[in-house]
Amino acid sequence: MRDKELYQQILGLGTPWSVSRVELNMDKQQVDVFAEHPARTTFCCPECEQPLGCYDHIPERQWRHLDSCQFKTILHARVPRVNCPEHGVKQVDVPWAEKSSRFTILFERFAIDVLLATQTVKGAMSILGTKWDQTWAIVQRAVARGKARKETKPLPHIGIDEKAFSKGHSYITLLYDLDNSTVEAISDGNDTDSGIACFSELSTEQVQSVKAIAMDMSAAYVKAAKHVFTLTEHMIVHDRFHVMQLATKAVDKVRRAEHRQLLQNDDDRLTKTKYIWIKSHENLTEKQQALFEDTYDLKLQTGKAWAYKEMLRDLWTQEDTASATNYFRDWYNRVIHTKLEPMKRVARTIKERLGNVVSYCKHRITNAVAEGINSKIMSIKRRVGGYRNQQNFKTAIFFYCGGLRLYPQ
Ligand SMILES: [Zn+2]
């Protein structure tokens, strides 16, 4: 008798439901708990909540509950149906599980905790003893639940960025809320349509609430923003890290060309120096630092390009857009009179989009604010074995980075 009461408590069953029987199956290491309701109970229509008599029952169903010690615990019940004059024959809601879930609410809550803690579906599966599809169903339901509950809050600072999925062959576009570091929308691809698809997920009020958008310098997202927003010229901020990345790549191009040339004269002074020019100076090891100093003193073209790249960094420390513009013009004039072709190309590219580079000094946004999200997404991607397709990858991003309320009530 006591085990019935115990499980009644554990399962949190209230009227009209009670535990009728508990069976311990030693072979299967399983506890089977059977719930039932008295005859002539009234249930509510799930659509309109009208109280109605029980019409019939669907065949017995099972829900996995939290384990009882090491024993898998399965709740069994026959769910009643009502015949609503307005909505027809409907299966009633049961208090222990959400519709179409094969787990109790308490189990799903626990599964979400485990998924969040392990950060992987595979890791969670081994702890929960669930199958791949079942675990994904929990993730998908949690994301759907979170999205349905999501309020449309104002989004003054947003960012749009691409992420490669499966070794750079296919891309997805992500829309960030930079103030809350959450992913707000995801679309396939990385072209203008992908950008429009992401922006289109915002409500009219949200579109109107946007003050600034961080993005790389590619034309695709600029076009997409212009398609959706008015006054875009004042809103777009080209992400400083993307701009600096262009400059860093240019330094590397200078080094490669110079190295090739030097080698023709058996001069190997640039051998194995790639990283000292592209890594942040403060991240160099002591050995690399020494190598840097020796090589920099040689007054090679590469060192010169590196110095211009470093100088460019200060563009983003300027007080306002006017001084940033002046700073850039000075930098541009120096670079453009050198023979550093790759650097000159970068200078011209920035000049073309200068208004949306120096706009940083007004809005102070960068997609790197979403660094927390970025590293999360990268680690989600690294465990790519766990995400067999792009759809799962997207769902996982929403699960871990969407700022969603995932738990069932
Ligand atoms: Zn009804």
Side-chain angles (χ1 to χ4, degrees):
M1 223 31 208
R2 278 172 91 180
D3 51 355
K4 287 200 274 183
E5 279 155 25
L6 177 68
Y7 275 100
Q8 181 117 5
Q9 293 283 328
I10 288 173
L11 287 158
L13 293 186
T15 41
W17 293 96
S18 62
V19 171
S20 61
R21 182 163 108 240
V22 177
E23 283 172 12
L24 181 62
N25 186 328
M26 289 306 279
D27 292 340
K28 282 167 81 184
Q29 297 268 294
Q30 186 169 308
V31 181
D32 292 287
V33 183
F34 297 83
E36 61 176 31
H37 64 87
R40 281 191 291 281
T41 308
T42 46
F43 290 94
C44 290
C45 164
E47 306 285 331
C48 64
E49 311 233 321
Q50 190 184 157
L52 297 156
C54 180
Y55 174 71
D56 65 357
H57 289 87
I58 61 159
E60 186 187 280
R61 271 187 57 194
Q62 305 185 0
W63 294 264
R64 167 102 185 263
H65 186 61
L66 297 169
D67 291 357
S68 313
C69 299
Q70 76 274 36
F71 291 93
K72 224 177 219 185
T73 304
I74 308 291
L75 175 65
H76 302 252
R78 292 178 65 212
V79 179
R81 298 198 302 172
V82 289
N83 190 0
C84 174
E86 201 173 323
H87 298 101
V89 178
K90 291 274 170 190
Q91 190 181 316
V92 308
D93 292 332
V94 291
W96 58 81
E98 286 192 337
K99 222 171 239 145
S100 79
S101 174
R102 304 181 60 167
F103 301 99
T104 66
I105 287 170
L106 283 172
F107 185 90
E108 281 206 41
R109 292 188 70 95
F110 175 65
I112 290 167
D113 283 336
V114 172
L115 281 157
L116 291 173
T118 57
Q119 297 262 308
T120 76
V121 170
K122 271 190 181 163
M125 280 163 64
S126 63
I127 292 175
L128 297 168
T130 45
K131 296 196 176 81
W132 173 264
D133 291 342
Q134 293 176 326
T135 322
W136 266 106
I138 292 173
V139 173
Q140 280 156 355
R141 259 199 309 278
V143 169
R145 197 183 290 129
K147 281 187 170 178
R149 286 178 187 161
K150 199 160 183 167
E151 295 137 21
T152 54
K153 54 184 177 185
L155 295 170
H157 303 111
I158 59 174
I160 190 161
D161 202 7
E162 61 175 29
K163 281 274 167 289
F165 174 72
S166 74
K167 298 234 162 187
H169 289 303
S170 59
Y171 285 88
I172 54 172
T173 295
L174 303 168
L175 182 73
Y176 307 122
D177 169 356
L178 295 179
D179 297 309
N180 293 299
S181 290
T182 51
V183 173
E184 295 296 306
I186 308 176
S187 62
D188 292 321
N190 59 348
D191 57 11
T192 304
D193 286 341
S194 318
I196 293 173
C198 267
F199 291 136
S200 302
E201 300 243 336
L202 305 179
S203 69
T204 317
E205 294 78 28
Q206 283 179 318
V207 167
Q208 283 163 354
S209 73
V210 173
K211 291 195 173 73
I213 315 166
M215 63 177 72
D216 62 20
M217 290 175 88
S218 73
Y221 294 147
V222 174
K223 269 193 208 158
K226 285 186 174 166
H227 185 88
V228 178
F229 300 90
T230 43
L231 294 170
T232 2
E233 279 311 319
H234 303 278
M235 292 164 70
I236 294 173
V237 179
H238 288 309
D239 187 58
R240 57 189 281 199
F241 292 94
H242 278 103
V243 181
M244 280 311 296
Q245 209 172 42
L246 293 183
T248 305
K249 278 185 185 154
V251 173
D252 198 46
K253 272 188 199 151
V254 172
R255 180 198 58 86
R256 282 208 307 259
E258 192 175 29
H259 183 44
R260 217 177 300 125
Q261 217 172 18
L262 291 177
L263 281 181
Q264 282 172 0
N265 300 317
D266 290 327
D267 183 340
D268 64 353
R269 286 179 293 172
L270 281 175
T271 301
K272 288 184 179 164
T273 64
K274 177 175 179 175
Y275 290 100
I276 63 173
W277 309 110
I278 61 177
K279 256 174 108 175
S280 289
H281 210 54
E282 54 273 20
N283 292 339
L284 295 182
T285 63
E286 232 167 84
K287 213 173 139 194
Q288 287 171 325
Q289 198 107 29
L291 176 64
F292 173 84
E293 286 191 6
D294 292 345
T295 322
Y296 187 69
D297 284 344
L298 301 171
K299 299 202 172 5
L300 296 168
Q301 293 293 303
T302 309
K304 222 169 153 185
W306 176 87
Y308 283 124
K309 177 199 76 172
E310 288 302 299
M311 212 185 284
L312 183 62
R313 272 197 196 193
D314 276 338
L315 179 69
W316 289 274
T317 61
Q318 302 299 312
E319 287 256 308
D320 49 36
T321 53
S323 49
T325 306
N326 286 335
Y327 186 88
F328 175 78
R329 286 203 179 121
D330 179 53
W331 182 84
Y332 180 87
N333 286 332
R334 289 164 192 255
V335 171
I336 219 70
H337 292 108
T338 64
K339 290 188 181 108
L340 305 164
E341 287 308 323
M343 282 317 267
K344 284 158 82 170
R345 273 198 293 278
V346 173
R348 286 189 199 101
T349 306
I350 300 174
K351 192 183 173 199
E352 232 168 81
R353 307 276 332 152
L354 186 61
N356 295 123
V357 175
V358 297
S359 56
Y360 171 85
C361 297
K362 187 176 163 210
H363 298 298
R364 305 268 164 196
I365 57 163
T366 146
N367 275 340
V369 171
E371 193 48 53
I373 306 176
N374 259 315
S375 55
K376 261 194 214 170
I377 294 172
M378 292 323 275
S379 69
I380 290 170
K381 206 177 81 173
R382 265 198 300 281
R383 294 184 298 261
V384 82
Y387 302 94
R388 291 183 193 170
N389 60 44
Q390 195 158 319
Q391 191 53 46
N392 285 356
F393 183 48
K394 291 194 284 189
T395 306
I397 292 174
F398 277 125
F399 186 85
Y400 289 107
C401 312
L404 300 172
R405 289 190 289 139
L406 301 168
Y407 296 100
Q409 294 296 347

